[in-house]
Amino acid sequence: MSEHLQQARMASVTELAQELILRPSRGGIDDYGPVLGVVEDWLTGRAVPHRRLNDDAGELVGLLVEIPGGQPGQWWALDACVDTAPYGDETAWSFPPDSGEVRQGWLLGRGSADSKLAAAMFCHIAAELLPRAADLHGGLAVLLDVDEHTGGFGGARAYLADEAAAQPAGVMIGYPGLDEVVVGGRGLWRAAVAVHAPSGHSGSSRTVVGAISRAAHLVRLLDAADLPGVDDGSGFPLPPKLSVTSFHSGQGFSVTPDLCELNVDIRTTPTFDAHDAETLIRKAVAELDAELPAPKPTEITPVASWPPFRLREDEQPAAALLTAAAEAGLVVQAKTSGPSNIGNLLAGEGIPATAGFGLPYEGLHGIDERAHLAELPHVYAVYQRAVLDLLRAG
């Protein structure tokens, strides 16, 4: 490709990303119609086949682009979210959160890093593949999820449940970061815990161990829980982790409450799975109820469970992405992520995924989010080459 054509394409990717940033799409806050409308208009203008995805309740949760190849083979998918994190304290930003401005080589605004620029890039790759689709094996899907930052991943769920869509052999998720290809992540097991106790007046002469005190004791038991370290035999590089992430109870001053509710988040690994996590919590709860009895036992309500995942560097689509990055002259390492991501959801369905390779960034989910555009041609070329290698292999 000539330098002029490459510059024009990168300018087009940036322009589409800017239009997306200008449409606020905070997860669970904004209407997703306007941001998806920008993508739909762009795809329609280039005759790229696409359709909306809705959840079981009929809510709009994503957009799916499908480019079928002319030869038999496996389908592969690119995935990027076009909903975003909230803005936080807007007065702390040095530019409007929905700026979309390019300043000193940085694309500014919420979603520039996570992940509207990736969405714009993937739409361009799909449009570029369309004229040569007859020579390709299988097909390419591009999923644009607008239910990602809520934690619901409604777009991904709707895609996987859609009987009209081909099941992908693998997915590449366009999270940012130039130095690493994320090939794995810890899983999670989450539960809500309800700790009970008799209620009473805070000034009563009768001593009552209230729900808050019982729950605080449970937190101490959980903090002291014996979690395993890294198991070198499994090849998984991170240990499990337990966090109490929410603690709610009471109102005012004069009543000791009869209920305290906790949220517990446990990050799991291949050698410490969801069953182990639940066993640990139930053991701590049993110890609490034995040491500090209450009229009603402590209740555990599991909320979510995702398996950990990790691809070998020679497994697809990790191999295609790592090879393409190396051939582009980039020094990129395979990484297993501490936080979970859509890759965990896909792993639960038996679908391998990478979950990050993109532009350098600052302010992700925080103040002054921005993405550095100088590396855009390299990142675009890596994804384009990886996709072509997969679709040519059949």
Side-chain angles (χ1 to χ4, degrees):
M1 181 187 301
S2 71
E3 183 177 348
H4 174 74
L5 285 176
Q6 184 187 63
Q7 290 176 347
R9 181 157 292 136
M10 296 307 102
S12 178
V13 171
T14 303
E15 181 180 352
L16 178 55
Q18 289 177 291
E19 291 296 318
L20 296 175
I21 293 169
L22 287 168
R23 274 70 175 183
S25 54
R26 293 164 292 177
I29 298 174
D30 297 310
D31 177 12
Y32 304 132
V35 73
L36 285 183
V38 169
V39 183
E40 289 175 312
D41 289 345
W42 191 92
L43 294 169
T44 299
R46 290 153 183 81
V48 179
H50 62 278
R51 55 191 172 91
R52 290 190 169 196
L53 295 172
N54 298 91
D55 62 16
D56 292 338
E59 295 295 324
L60 178 63
V61 290
L63 191 73
L64 183 65
V65 176
E66 294 170 301
I67 309 292
Q71 309 297 322
Q74 296 176 313
W75 278 69
W76 302 89
L78 297 171
D79 171 53
C81 58
V82 290
D83 68 332
T84 72
Y87 294 154
D89 181 5
E90 295 185 43
T91 65
W93 288 64
S94 62
F95 48 82
D98 59 353
S99 167
E101 180 185 353
V102 175
R103 186 185 301 172
Q104 296 180 330
W106 292 88
L107 175 62
L108 309 181
R110 179 64 86 223
S112 55
D114 183 16
S115 294
K116 291 181 175 181
L117 192 53
M121 183 170 59
F122 291 167
C123 286
H124 279 75
I125 289 174
E128 196 174 335
L129 281 181
L130 188 59
R132 63 177 92 175
D135 298 326
L136 302 177
H137 294 263
L140 174 69
V142 176
L143 172 65
L144 304 178
D145 197 331
V146 290
D147 189 37
E148 197 263 11
H149 284 85
T150 63
F153 301 127
R157 294 182 190 277
Y159 170 40
L160 297 177
D162 192 334
E163 295 181 356
Q167 188 87 342
V171 178
M172 292 179 281
I173 304 165
Y175 293 138
L178 188 67
D179 300 327
E180 298 161 336
V181 171
V182 176
V183 298
R186 286 190 292 204
L188 61 80
W189 183 86
R190 290 173 173 166
V193 181
V195 179
H196 302 277
S199 63
H201 196 291
S202 60
S204 172
S205 59
R206 184 170 61 95
T207 299
V208 175
V209 180
I212 291 176
S213 295
R214 295 188 77 240
H217 185 67
L218 177 60
V219 172
R220 287 192 291 272
L221 291 173
L222 294 175
D223 285 344
D226 186 19
L227 292 171
V230 174
D231 182 354
D232 294 334
S234 72
F236 200 85
L238 297 172
K241 182 181 180 182
L242 185 154
S243 303
V244 177
T245 58
S246 176
F247 191 104
H248 294 289
S249 184
Q251 185 175 6
F253 295 91
S254 63
V255 177
T256 56
D258 58 3
L259 174 66
C260 185
E261 296 176 310
L262 287 68
N263 287 346
V264 181
D265 177 285
I266 301 181
R267 300 301 163 130
T268 60
T269 68
T271 55
F272 188 86
D273 61 14
H275 177 267
D276 298 316
E278 184 168 358
T279 299
L280 184 151
I281 295 297
R282 294 197 179 279
K283 179 181 177 182
V285 163
E287 186 174 344
L288 169 71
D289 288 348
E291 291 183 6
L292 299 174
K296 189 175 181 180
T298 302
E299 298 169 311
I300 302 170
T301 303
V303 173
S305 179
W306 285 355
F309 77 101
R310 179 174 170 80
L311 305 185
R312 299 189 314 273
E313 294 182 28
D314 61 350
E315 286 184 87
Q316 299 293 15
L321 198 53
L322 287 164
T323 298
E327 290 176 348
L330 300 176
V331 179
V332 176
Q333 294 182 331
K335 177 186 177 182
T336 298
S337 173
S340 304
N341 52 64
I342 295 182
N344 298 87
L345 172 67
L346 295 167
E349 301 294 329
I351 299 171
T354 60
F357 170 73
L359 296 182
Y361 63 91
E362 294 179 357
L364 185 75
H365 286 202
I367 304 302
D368 286 355
E369 181 176 341
R370 65 187 77 193
H372 198 244
L373 293 173
E375 293 79 7
L376 179 58
H378 304 295
V379 174
Y380 187 96
V382 167
Y383 273 108
Q384 181 186 51
R385 175 151 194 166
V387 167
L388 282 173
D389 286 347
L390 290 168
L391 295 178
R392 285 169 175 161

